[in-house]
Amino acid sequence: MIRGWYIGSSGMNAQQNRLNVIANNLANVDTTGFKRDTAVSKNFSELLIRRTNDDGVYKISLGSADAAPIIGKMSLGVETNESFTDFSQGSYKETGSKTDVAFSAAGFFTVQTPGGERYTRNGNFMIGKEGLLETKDGYPVLGEKGPIYVADTEFFIDKDGIIYDSEDMREIERFKTVRFENERYLKKQGSSLYAETDISGPAYIAEGEERPAFLQGFVETSNVNVVNEMVQMIEVNRAYEANQKTIQAGDTMMSVLWSKTASLRG
């Protein structure tokens, strides 16, 4: 019964973590370029149950001989294994603004922050006071030669991410677009920014088939499906309640056991 308390409480903790992830997804359903997270759970190591007393005669159990053979196993509960980001493509939203850019496939814009280079899918840019192309938080967007200077909105972006002056079609810069070996393991840093990790590997310039096509005048919406998230929220609430009832049932049985034991001793 006491083991049941711990198993039930571990289930409640895991469901609480899932609920936090779902709530964050729903809160960012209208955030440009947002990628939903998914919480993954796993079992604790399972306990192998052996006979504590036997006649000393070797018996075959799971391919081995043992005087106290394995008679079964018991689950020790569940825990949250990881929360990973789903980088599936979101839909496009036309804005008509020349400073807005979207990708047609996988890839990341590179921006300069006080903490170093960071990466984003949010192409909702603006022109700063110094004529630099910036994110809404004021971080300069980087080209392959450095920050992108455009001065005004009179520029054109082709499918390869090359920026041209609209008047004389002079090439200004090319977006620094990067990929990673294991994009799933990028670390979210808020404001639609990602940082590389040891597992994701370092950023490298996307070229050839790995380089996405650029769409000027569009932004990528979040890939959160509200209906699916709400269904999962209902599932989490029901699973949480089931684990809660398991603990309550164990507590009731333990109370009965204690009261019966006390009455017998009395």
Side-chain angles (χ1 to χ4, degrees):
M1 286 181 284
I2 294 177
R3 187 184 298 277
W5 291 348
Y6 287 103
I7 292 175
S9 64
S10 71
M12 292 173 70
N13 285 331
Q15 297 304 325
Q16 181 63 58
N17 291 334
R18 283 189 64 197
L19 185 62
N20 291 340
V21 170
I22 292 171
N24 184 64
N25 289 340
L26 289 172
N28 288 279
V29 67
D30 292 324
T31 301
T32 303
F34 178 81
K35 300 300 180 183
R36 64 183 295 271
D37 292 321
T38 301
V40 180
S41 300
K42 68 176 182 179
N43 289 332
F44 282 122
S45 299
E46 292 181 316
L47 174 68
L48 296 177
I49 307 173
R50 295 175 177 269
R51 288 192 176 97
T52 55
N53 263 324
D54 211 283
D55 55 12
V57 179
Y58 274 25
K59 298 180 180 179
I60 302 299
S61 174
L62 298 181
S64 62
D66 201 331
I70 296 170
I71 60 174
K73 58 186 180 180
M74 180 181 295
S75 173
L76 298 180
V78 66
E79 66 177 338
T80 301
N81 185 27
E82 65 170 330
S83 177
F84 73 90
T85 304
D86 173 13
F87 282 104
S88 60
Q89 182 78 37
S91 58
Y92 300 117
K93 178 182 178 182
E94 185 173 5
T95 64
S97 173
K98 291 187 177 181
T99 57
D100 288 339
V101 191
F103 288 139
S104 65
F108 296 87
F109 296 105
T110 307
V111 300
Q112 186 67 51
T113 73
E117 290 188 0
R118 295 295 183 266
Y119 313 97
T120 184
R121 293 278 301 184
N122 187 347
N124 184 207
F125 302 137
M126 64 179 186
I127 299 177
K129 294 180 179 179
E130 298 179 356
L132 296 177
L133 193 65
E134 300 177 347
T135 67
K136 294 300 182 182
D137 296 304
Y139 300 134
V141 182
L142 296 181
E144 295 180 352
K145 299 176 184 177
I148 300 173
Y149 178 79
V150 291
D152 54 41
T153 58
E154 297 303 318
F155 63 89
F156 166 73
I157 303 173
D158 70 4
K159 291 184 177 181
D160 192 48
I162 300 176
I163 306 170
Y164 296 93
D165 189 305
S166 296
E167 294 182 357
D168 55 12
M169 294 304 292
R170 173 179 54 87
E171 182 177 328
I172 298 175
E173 178 61 284
R174 185 175 186 246
F175 279 101
K176 184 178 180 181
T177 307
V178 299
R179 295 287 304 276
F180 299 86
E181 290 295 332
N182 296 297
E183 294 172 347
R184 167 178 170 176
Y185 297 103
L186 290 171
K187 182 180 180 181
K188 282 188 174 181
Q189 299 228 301
S191 300
S192 299
L193 299 178
Y194 298 89
E196 65 183 44
T197 64
D198 293 336
I199 305 177
S200 72
Y204 63 89
I205 302 295
E207 296 289 0
E209 294 183 355
E210 285 193 309
R211 190 173 180 86
F214 288 71
L215 301 173
Q216 186 176 17
F218 291 81
V219 292
E220 181 186 2
T221 62
S222 72
N223 63 352
V224 177
N225 186 306
V226 176
V227 175
N228 289 344
E229 298 295 329
M230 292 300 295
V231 170
Q232 290 185 44
M233 182 177 288
I234 294 172
E235 292 176 353
V236 167
N237 286 330
R238 289 177 177 172
Y240 190 93
E241 291 174 358
N243 282 285
Q244 187 180 37
K245 290 178 180 177
T246 299
I247 295 176
Q248 291 174 342
D251 184 57
T252 301
M253 288 189 289
M254 186 62 74
S255 297
V256 172
L257 177 62
W258 286 338
S259 62
K260 291 291 184 181
T261 302
S263 63
L264 289 174
R265 285 196 167 190

